[in-house]
Amino acid sequence: MFSALGINLAWLITQLIGFIVLFVILHKLLYKPILRMMDQRSARIRESLETAERVRTEAQSSREEMQQQIEAARAEGRQLVAEARDVADRFREEETAKAKAEIESEKARAEQNIQRERDAAIEDLRREFAGLAITAAERVVRRSLDEESHRKLIADVMEEAASAARKN
Amino acid sequence: MIEGNIGDLGAGLAIALGSLGPGLGIGWLASKAMESLGRNPEAARPIQQNMILAIAFTEAIAIYALVVAIIIKFVN
Amino acid sequence: MSKLFKSPKALVILTLALGAFVLSVAGGALGKEFNGGFLGAPIAHIQLPAEPVFADELFPGFKLTNTIVATWLTIVLVAVLAFLATRRMTEVPTGLQNMFEALIEFFSNLAASIAGPENGRRFLPLTLTIFIFIVTSNWLGILPGFGTIGRIETAEEVIHHAEDAGTDLAGVNLQVFDGDGAVGILSLGSIRTEEITAKRFKEAEEEGVHLVEDGKQVGILVPFLRSANTDVNTTLAIAIVAMFMVHFWAFRSLGIAGHVGKFLNFRGGPVALFVGLLEIIGEFARLISFTFRLFGNIFAGEVLLIAMAFLLPLIGIIPFLGLELFVGMIQAFIFSILTLVFAALASTGHDTEHH
């Protein structure tokens, strides 16, 4: 039966060896390099896709960052302007106040001087006037008044004169 | 009176009867494939592939009959 | 039709085709009945076992057959192609590299879809080797030169062998060759109007009559090359490797107990035991089915081509050459895809199948 079909152990083994040899040859020569190449290619494609994605997200984030920076710069600028205005205001107020104070002190000193001049003038006047009045009174009532009541009368008169001057 | 080798008759009968079933089978297969193709024309590719595969299986049975016929005819 | 007759080119082609048809009918087997048959290729001697290329044994007990030579030719051709394809690999594939890459990618996707990505990668090399070997040897086998060039076995040797084997001499057809060399070609037109069987030749020799004129010899052509898969040994060898690897992978992924348990199932009761035993028979049926599906298809194809060359010598063979190209590829595809399916089925246990 087997020999009628042409099956022969030696031939069968020869063909088996032939097929296995072909398998080994193809495995070494064809499948390994080509599968490696295909794997490499797919890995590279995946990698480049990932890189593109990463670049895209990076661009996105850097754009956002830039936006934030611009926003921050703008805010800072606004703040600076506000501060400058503040400082200028304060400076103006300070200067104004200083000038006002100087003017006040100048005025006060001037008034003081005037006061002092006037006081001195009044004192001089009073002294002179007292002497004058005494002289006048002595002339009017040479004997009717003693020295002491005389003095008192003069002081009263002086006081009245001073209060009248103060009122002016 | 018919003369000749009775083996020839056997070989002829083997392939004749042996191809009967696969012939019907392939016909039925193709008919069903066409039917499903008409119902679902988008699936033409898988239907065709599977049909060819199934026909090859069915045909294998006819091939067995052919092998038997060849053995009867050429192997004594 | 009217368009056809207006175009001179089409008319010429039509005339030529008709002429070829008439010529081939007259020169073929039908014409032979009317003293034509001048073109007819002879019905080659058809036998199942492969023929030895040399009459002598190469080693003790080993004769080199023409199918083994064809197998080696296939191996060398495929190896050379593979070498050329991968010698200078480029990132953007061209030519042979592109062809093999497309093939490998196709089978890789197929294997992944049938057996899953991990197993698919493991089954891929064997599947591809089976496909490449079978398709290459099938296509080589229909080239001219296969089956038509060979050594001439003289009538005396044929009769001697036939008597040794106990074959009926009346069933052995002899062929006539020009010249007396040891190498002959089965050419068109070598058909004989009279058939010479070994029996008739022997009787004529005994009577001292020469059946053929001088300068010609009677014998059988033993081709140097014969399509590798027309030998049961080749297909059986591939089937054995395929089934061996299927079970090897099954042992690897299921363990020895798991895989043997599929066939010798003592826990599931008598029915399961019987089913397991049936599966053992099924495995052998697969092996035999593998062997004879491929062998039968390719052998039948060869016989068909010979018969067509005999009936319609010039043109009858053309559509069948196309058919043989198709069958050669389909059978290679079926062999490899079945190996893949069997491997995938065997590597998943009965438990996981239902999920």
Side-chain angles (χ1 to χ4, degrees), chain B residues 15 17-31 50-66, chain C residues 289 292-293 297 330-331 334 338:
Chain B
I15 187 63
L17 296 176
S19 53
L20 201 63
L24 287 173
I26 290 173
W28 198 18
L29 241 164
S31 121
N50 287 320
M51 185 185 77
I52 288 176
L53 217 65
I55 283 179
F57 283 122
T58 317
E59 190 207 42
I61 298 166
I63 294 295
Y64 301 152
L66 183 72
Chain C
S289 155
F292 281 103
R293 182 184 299 115
N297 267 288
I330 285 289
Q331 290 305 320
I334 285 171
L338 275 182

Side-chain angles (χ1 to χ4, degrees), chain C residues 217-257:
Chain C
Q217 59 174 329
V218 180
I220 281 180
L221 187 82
V222 180
F224 288 140
L225 293 167
R226 171 171 154 176
S227 185
N229 292 320
T230 58
D231 184 1
V232 188
N233 292 307
T234 318
T235 59
L236 186 61
I238 306 171
I240 285 172
V241 172
M243 291 312 285
F244 176 80
M245 288 310 284
V246 164
H247 287 278
F248 174 73
W249 285 323
F251 277 125
R252 279 265 303 260
S253 52
L254 298 179
I256 289 175

Side-chain angles (χ1 to χ4, degrees), chain C residues 1-11 14:
Chain C
M1 254 342 236
S2 58
K3 207 174 178 182
L4 188 69
F5 286 111
K6 272 178 201 153
S7 158
K9 212 192 235 170
L11 203 61
L14 191 69

